[in-house]
Amino acid sequence: MAEPVPLVQQLVNVPIFKDLPARSLESIARSMRERTYEKGAVIVRQGDPGVGFFLITDGVVEVSHDGHHVRDLGAGEFFGEMALMEERPRSATVTAKERTRCLQLVRWDFRAVLKENPDLAVRMLEVVVQRLREHPQSHELD
Ligand code: CMP
């Protein structure tokens, strides 16, 4: 069986984490927990309170809003950041389309990581703004 890949190594391969100093990656990795979801598992449900931020390391998830497909996300992408940033319920449902592995950060660790790593926070903000622009109807912005 293949050796498990250390969490730090998994983070180095993720675009928004690239260029962070090794010290920061090691500290972030210590707060992360590996989670595996089987095909069809609902990872985040629209309307629920948000506890976790998820970074996909393997697999594909579907984001849906009011039962309508919004888009798929795959390895290196993340979800669950919105409810943690604005302290509101989950804006969409996220379902595993196949067996999917994620690294999870809980709310308090997620916020601490962003405060300690402004470059990461800015990169994440860029992705979030893009998401809101592409699908304003899912976020009451239209
Ligand atoms: P959150 O609202 O915490 O929970 C649902 C998640 O789905 C949300 O965070 C985003 O991570 C993700 N999401 C919502 N809308 C979009 C979108 N238009 N594109 C990509 N991901 C989205």
Side-chain angles (χ1 to χ4, degrees):
M1 207 168 83
E3 286 288 307
V5 181
L7 292 193
V8 172
Q9 200 51 50
Q10 297 185 42
L11 290 181
V12 171
N13 296 325
V14 172
I16 59 161
F17 287 92
K18 80 173 170 48
D19 303 334
L20 287 192
R23 192 170 26 86
S24 303
L25 288 176
E26 282 160 16
S27 157
I28 295 168
R30 275 196 292 275
S31 306
M32 291 185 133
R33 295 287 168 268
E34 291 189 273
R35 303 265 181 243
T36 302
Y37 299 93
E38 299 303 328
K39 179 177 177 175
V42 173
I43 306 173
V44 153
R45 194 179 298 277
Q46 185 178 342
D48 279 359
V51 178
F53 162 81
F54 299 85
L55 181 64
I56 306 167
T57 54
D58 194 23
V60 181
V61 301
E62 177 186 36
V63 178
S64 59
H65 178 79
D66 290 345
H68 298 289
H69 172 83
V70 174
R71 57 169 294 186
D72 290 346
L73 300 172
E77 296 185 289
F78 59 84
F79 61 92
E81 75 293 350
M82 292 184 187
L84 304 195
M85 283 177 173
E86 62 170 355
E87 313 242 346
R88 283 180 60 187
R90 296 296 194 189
S91 61
T93 294
V94 181
T95 309
K97 288 186 82 169
E98 55 188 62
R99 194 163 201 260
T100 297
R101 291 197 311 135
C102 298
L103 298 177
Q104 183 190 21
L105 269 178
V106 291
R107 176 191 289 272
W108 42 93
D109 288 332
F110 171 75
R111 296 184 74 100
V113 163
L114 291 189
K115 284 182 187 163
E116 285 160 18
N117 298 279
D119 289 349
L120 173 65
V122 170
R123 271 184 231 131
M124 193 171 288
L125 194 55
E126 287 167 357
V127 174
V128 172
V129 168
Q130 206 177 342
R131 289 178 177 179
L132 296 177
R133 272 190 195 277
E134 282 171 4
H135 294 273
Q137 65 282 10
S138 314
H139 300 282
E140 300 163 5
L141 299 177
D142 52 339

